[in-house]
Amino acid sequence: MSAPQFSHEQLCPLADPSKELRVLEIIENAHHVIECRLVKNTEGQKYNTLSWCWGSQKQNIKQIRIIQSSQTYEFSVPESLYIALQELRIHRVLRIWVDYVCIDQSNFNEKNNQVPMMAKIYGDAECVYVWLGEKRDDSELAMSFIRDRVLSLGDFDRLIRDENTVAEWRALSALIKRPWFSRRWIVQEIAVARTAIILCGPHKIKWKDLADAISLFNEIETGTRRISEVMRADRDLGHIPDFFGEVSALSATKLVEVTNNLFRQLSGNGQQAQFNLEYLVSTFTMFDASEPRDTIYALLAIARDTIPVTTLKTDAIRKWTWPDFIKQKLIDQLAKRTASKPYNVDYGLPLSDVYVQFIRWAVDRSDKTSALDIICRPWAPQPAPSGEVNDADEESDPRAHWRVRTKSSRPQDEGEDTLPSWIPTAARAAFGMDGTGQKMTRKNADSLVGLPPERIYSAAGTRVLTENFRIEDGVTKFSDDRRLNELHYHSMFVEGFVLDHVRDLRYPSQQGVIPSDWLKLARRRDLDGELSDEFWRTIVADRGPTGGNAPRYYPRLVDHALRQGVQGDSLNTENIVNWGNCTIVGEVLRRVRSSIWNRKMMRTENGSFGLAPELTQRDDLICILYGCSVPVLLRKFTKTQAEVEEEDRQRQRKREALQEKREKEAALKISQIWRDRLATRKTTSSGPQQPSTPGRKRKAASTAGSTPSRKKQRRRTRSSHDDTTDTPAGSSSTSGAPGRGPAQDGDSPTRKPVDDPTKTDKTPLKSDPYTYYQLIGECYVDGMMNGEALSRLQPSMIFEMR
């Protein structure tokens, strides 16, 4: 007869999950089954933590035995964790915190409170033990190679040329591609660890030794390709020219680079985070999370500008006897004066709302000349297959839609959860593992926008994000496209102008090849036989490999590379990079590949030349958005009359619900004030009585009478403001009043209008209520990347992007 299942809530509950934690105590014995106790950790007790990869949900399940009050219970864990616990027992690591066991994963409230504690839990641990998995793929050889040879720097130059080390380098490469290195939570776990030990099967090595080996491997391979040359000489490997792929893009390399620079050490053993949340989320696109919300939540505690909001609940201010609303105001004021801001952690929110919350956060805290770059930079996990709304290919069906179902639950009246087009997924990321999972390879061109706060281009010049920016949501109803009905949407309203239209397109570059029809479209050579400036500038996106201006020798080297191709045929850049006899030409072609991979070449209506995303179609709009550093491509869609009227009704219901909520909050505050005053009077009445005077009575009466009137006046003012500003600018409404959309949680504060010297008409801009746009993506338009588009003096408008 099997033992009963263990219950956290019944057998080891946490009175305050924002302060307390449980620890697993493994019982040291020779039994095959893991036996342990789950206890609350008391202040000052030493413990270790385990960093491991949850892995696939399809893996085998094992049972551990938890002994509580002399009663034995069973607890189900993945097989990978079970094996890790066995190895920890062998190494006599018996008191350990394991997230899967020590947090009640079925309790949202507990998770919401424990997740903000993760950095402290790992930082306070004596040691973080990293479990890479069981012994395989010559892992023992790799770990001894690191200890005995890679870190022996006196022989390092000879080592990287030694053709007898092929097996060792191959084993090291396999080790650092294990799934643990792609787990998003490890960034925080390693960054805050006092010390870390790597376990792989029965073998172990210090984290700092492995990190140094990875860093050296990346430096040599990325800078010189010397180790690849050793591998290419091996006949058994088939003389593969690029055996390791893009080592600099590996998750292991990113982990070592960023964690090395994540904190700045301060005096007194303190440290200060160096990167903001937008940078971290944008950098770690190759890192996975079994829970997609952890794409953001896993990085909150190590970001410079965030504090997980539940940590405020433990603040000493909460213990004061002041009224709750006064304490909350004080906490809010203190938060405004600190570099880090509270960030709400809520695993119960629909997935699209979590992502939109992050977009709001990033936009509100970015340089306003590039605040919208986040909508061009791929960062969100790619949703599971078969979740797409579109059933047809976009190339053949212009009405096919891009909306992706997240499979995240929403209240029934809010429709089915979907992602908007302005949340780009990691499917657009520059690099990914190949089909074998053995090599990191390029799969897309580099993003045209740099990592924050870097700005590579300035297509909108100095124009900043305007006060017309807002985000709304609702449920699509009465659309002509029945596939969209009953789907939840998020609309982003931004100001900008239409620069141009797409006139001609050529097939996208596959594998970095320059197609022959690109050369024809570009009229590659001028009358003197020289390479046209617009062509070479376009295929390198007019920038060097580090984002600076293209070096002056680029046109000569690009011309040299093109002359090596067969006349009238496509140019295979990979062959020249791997087998060419001119190293510097190969470096230029690497820049070409990073600019054109999977992009189309386009001509615009005004004759400009450029690069466009793979899904671009003829007649798509090329637009400049204020607050975005690059041009973007938008595709126009039309709403029905019934659809517009339904959206107005939804806005009206939200306004009414918001007004009702505000009135209730105001009533509660007023009620609390009077209760506090009554309590104060009762306290003072028991003490010495103060003589009253008619003047004092009149003053008290005046004060008492003025408070409600001021409250009413504020409510009237707020109500009046709501009536004139809750309707989105340019949208059709029952009142017909233009203005700002309904306020929502997480909205950025109202911004002051930015003076536009080119505007003479001060009438507020309005969006077309019958039109919305799909964001296709960023694009390069030759001669329009540094503010030149503003000289066109195109009229500004508001785009509703979905």
Side-chain angles (χ1 to χ4, degrees), residues 662 710-724:
R662 287 173 172 171
R710 284 199 300 268
K711 296 285 185 183
K712 291 177 181 178
Q713 182 62 36
R714 280 199 292 268
R715 287 204 303 274
R716 283 197 297 270
T717 303
R718 186 185 294 122
S719 176
S720 173
H721 176 75
D722 292 340
D723 289 343
T724 59

Side-chain angles (χ1 to χ4, degrees), residues 448 457 518 522 532-543 591-592 595-596 599-602 608-612 780-783:
L448 296 172
Y457 303 98
W518 282 29
S532 66
D533 287 343
E534 63 176 359
F535 182 74
W536 77 258
R537 282 199 308 262
T538 298
I539 63 175
V540 298
D542 199 23
R543 290 295 185 268
R591 172 58 192 166
V592 171
S595 301
I596 69 174
R599 284 190 173 128
K600 292 180 176 179
M601 183 160 278
M602 68 175 177
S608 296
F609 202 44
L611 296 171
Y780 172 86
V781 182
D782 188 55

Side-chain angles (χ1 to χ4, degrees), residues 387-444:
E388 297 186 6
V389 174
N390 52 300
D391 301 313
D393 183 81
E394 288 200 53
E395 293 289 341
S396 58
D397 182 5
R399 284 294 300 172
H401 278 268
W402 61 95
R403 303 275 285 282
V404 177
R405 294 184 173 93
T406 68
K407 301 181 180 178
S408 176
S409 61
R410 302 193 71 96
Q412 188 174 3
D413 61 342
E414 292 186 8
E416 188 173 358
D417 198 49
T418 62
L419 296 182
S421 62
W422 40 267
I423 295 183
T425 69
R428 305 185 196 179
F431 297 98
M433 297 301 290
D434 65 5
T436 66
Q438 299 300 310
K439 183 165 66 174
M440 182 70 71
T441 59
R442 181 173 287 281
K443 62 178 184 178
N444 288 299

Side-chain angles (χ1 to χ4, degrees), residues 670 673-674 677 681 694-711 714:
I670 294 172
I673 291 173
W674 286 108
R677 288 185 175 180
R681 289 176 182 175
R696 179 172 295 183
K697 289 182 178 179
R698 284 195 299 273
K699 184 176 180 180
S702 174
T703 303
S706 65
T707 301
S709 65
R710 284 199 300 268
K711 296 285 185 183
R714 280 199 292 268

Side-chain angles (χ1 to χ4, degrees), residues 173 177 217-218 221-222 225 228 231 240-250 431-434 438-442 590:
S173 176
K177 291 170 186 169
F217 179 43
N218 174 54
E221 178 59 18
T222 302
R225 307 277 171 175
S228 281
M231 308 303 282
I240 300 175
D242 189 23
F243 183 83
F244 297 111
E246 300 290 341
V247 175
S248 62
L250 285 172
F431 297 98
M433 297 301 290
D434 65 5
Q438 299 300 310
K439 183 165 66 174
M440 182 70 71
T441 59
R442 181 173 287 281
R590 284 192 176 91

Side-chain angles (χ1 to χ4, degrees), residues 137-139 141-143 145-146 150 165-178 181 210 213-214 216-218 227 244 250 252:
D137 299 329
D138 292 327
S139 56
L141 176 62
M143 296 180 83
F145 181 55
I146 292 169
V150 176
T165 57
V166 169
E168 285 85 349
W169 287 116
R170 187 176 185 179
L172 174 59
S173 176
L175 183 71
I176 65 176
K177 291 170 186 169
R178 290 208 174 197
F181 288 98
L210 177 59
I214 293 171
L216 287 167
F217 179 43
N218 174 54
I227 307 174
F244 297 111
L250 285 172

Side-chain angles (χ1 to χ4, degrees), residues 151-172:
L151 300 181
S152 297
L153 300 181
D155 296 327
F156 192 73
D157 283 350
R158 185 164 60 250
L159 174 67
I160 61 178
R161 293 183 175 88
D162 187 352
E163 295 184 0
N164 296 317
T165 57
V166 169
E168 285 85 349
W169 287 116
R170 187 176 185 179
L172 174 59

Side-chain angles (χ1 to χ4, degrees), residues 265-323:
Q265 294 302 316
L266 304 176
S267 58
N269 295 324
Q271 56 185 14
Q272 183 181 58
Q274 294 300 291
F275 304 117
N276 63 22
L277 182 62
E278 182 184 358
Y279 177 92
L280 294 174
V281 171
S282 302
T283 298
F284 293 115
T285 54
M286 300 307 302
F287 289 72
D288 302 323
S290 55
E291 163 56 73
R293 294 165 183 81
D294 287 339
T295 301
I296 298 156
Y297 294 164
L299 302 171
L300 294 179
I302 56 175
R304 183 184 62 203
D305 55 342
T306 57
I307 300 175
V309 73
T310 50
T311 59
L312 291 177
K313 296 180 181 177
T314 63
D315 196 278
I317 296 175
R318 293 292 188 191
K319 300 177 182 178
W320 296 355
T321 57
W322 292 3

